[in-house]
Amino acid sequence: MTEREKMLAGELYDCGDPELLSQWHKAKNLIRDYNRTDSENAEEKKRILHELLGGHEKNLWITAPFYADYGNNIYFGDNCEVNMNCTFLDDNRIVIGNNALIAPNVQIYTAFHPTNAADRFGPPKEDGSFAFCKTQTAPVIIGDHVWIGGGTIILPGVTIGENVVIGAGSVVTRDIPSNTVACGTPCRVIRENKSSSPV
């Protein structure tokens, strides 16, 4: 298995792998270009997103600045909007359904590390330095017609159902079922969301 295959399978992998580092640097350069592109230059922004992302459908709007690890593990459905200053650590898949609204400063994480420091770094090298820390991943899946409130943090392995509202400032540590409103730290369902999804 390659390190990328291990990464996407949720196994411990080496972040310093040359293939992964190449993809990481490519993404960082594309993101730099995207964040520096004139706001009204829609064609250039569209071109960069097409090269950066794993896939997206029509009518995607991402307000700069935007940050990601690899970019090519991020997938959007139709009619999605991501507001400014969002960070997507896409070491595994981040899949966002149709008609999603992601408010400013939302952070979506798919990566995590062993809690034992020795497992994270292993023994030091001869010069006293450490290798890249060992990492594992789990995907984040977000359904259709979801609104993620500003400043929300979504942790690895979380699935958010359809027609869900996540309140601002929430930390989402577990799955959230469809047709609910949820908020808090940790995020919990507070009521049903009885509003119907648009057709």
Side-chain angles (χ1 to χ4, degrees):
M1 267 182 125
T2 67
E3 294 303 308
R4 176 171 171 78
E5 289 170 338
K6 292 178 187 176
M7 179 179 81
L8 294 174
E11 298 181 9
L12 279 172
Y13 69 97
D14 178 10
C15 302
D17 173 69
E19 178 192 8
L20 291 178
L21 277 177
S22 176
Q23 293 173 354
W24 189 88
H25 287 304
K26 177 182 178 182
K28 293 299 183 282
N29 291 333
L30 287 168
I31 291 164
R32 175 203 61 212
D33 294 345
Y34 186 85
N35 290 337
R36 290 179 177 177
T37 297
D38 290 345
S39 183
E40 65 272 25
N41 193 345
E43 285 304 310
E44 177 63 6
K45 290 192 292 185
K46 183 177 179 181
R47 182 197 69 77
I48 294 170
L49 289 178
H50 184 73
E51 188 174 352
L52 172 68
L53 300 175
H56 66 89
E57 302 301 327
K58 64 180 187 292
N59 302 324
L60 172 62
W61 182 278
I62 298 179
T63 301
F66 172 72
Y67 305 99
D69 260 357
Y70 298 97
N72 58 15
N73 297 318
I74 302 172
Y75 301 86
F76 287 97
D78 292 327
N79 310 316
C80 293
E81 180 177 345
V82 178
N83 214 321
M84 69 186 77
N85 210 40
C86 288
T87 300
F88 290 9
L89 296 189
D90 63 308
D91 302 74
N92 205 313
R93 292 179 308 125
I94 296 174
V95 180
I96 297 172
N98 300 323
N99 306 305
L101 179 59
I102 312 293
N105 299 300
V106 168
Q107 301 171 58
I108 301 177
Y109 301 146
T110 65
F112 59 99
H113 309 287
T115 55
N116 185 305
D119 293 336
R120 282 197 299 275
F121 289 101
K125 298 178 182 179
E126 289 184 10
D127 65 1
S129 66
F130 283 89
F132 281 91
C133 63
K134 297 292 184 180
T135 305
Q136 288 178 268
T137 71
V140 170
I141 311 296
I142 297 174
D144 296 341
H145 311 294
V146 171
W147 173 20
I148 307 294
T152 292
I153 299 173
I154 300 173
L155 297 187
V158 164
T159 294
I160 296 174
E162 299 189 355
N163 194 34
V164 170
V165 175
I166 303 293
S170 296
V171 178
V172 187
T173 62
R174 64 185 71 181
D175 293 354
I176 303 296
S178 296
N179 302 307
T180 58
V181 175
C183 65
T185 303
C187 188
R188 299 183 189 281
V189 172
I190 58 170
R191 63 178 172 85
E192 291 183 23
N193 188 4
K194 296 182 180 179
S195 61
S196 59
S197 301
V199 176

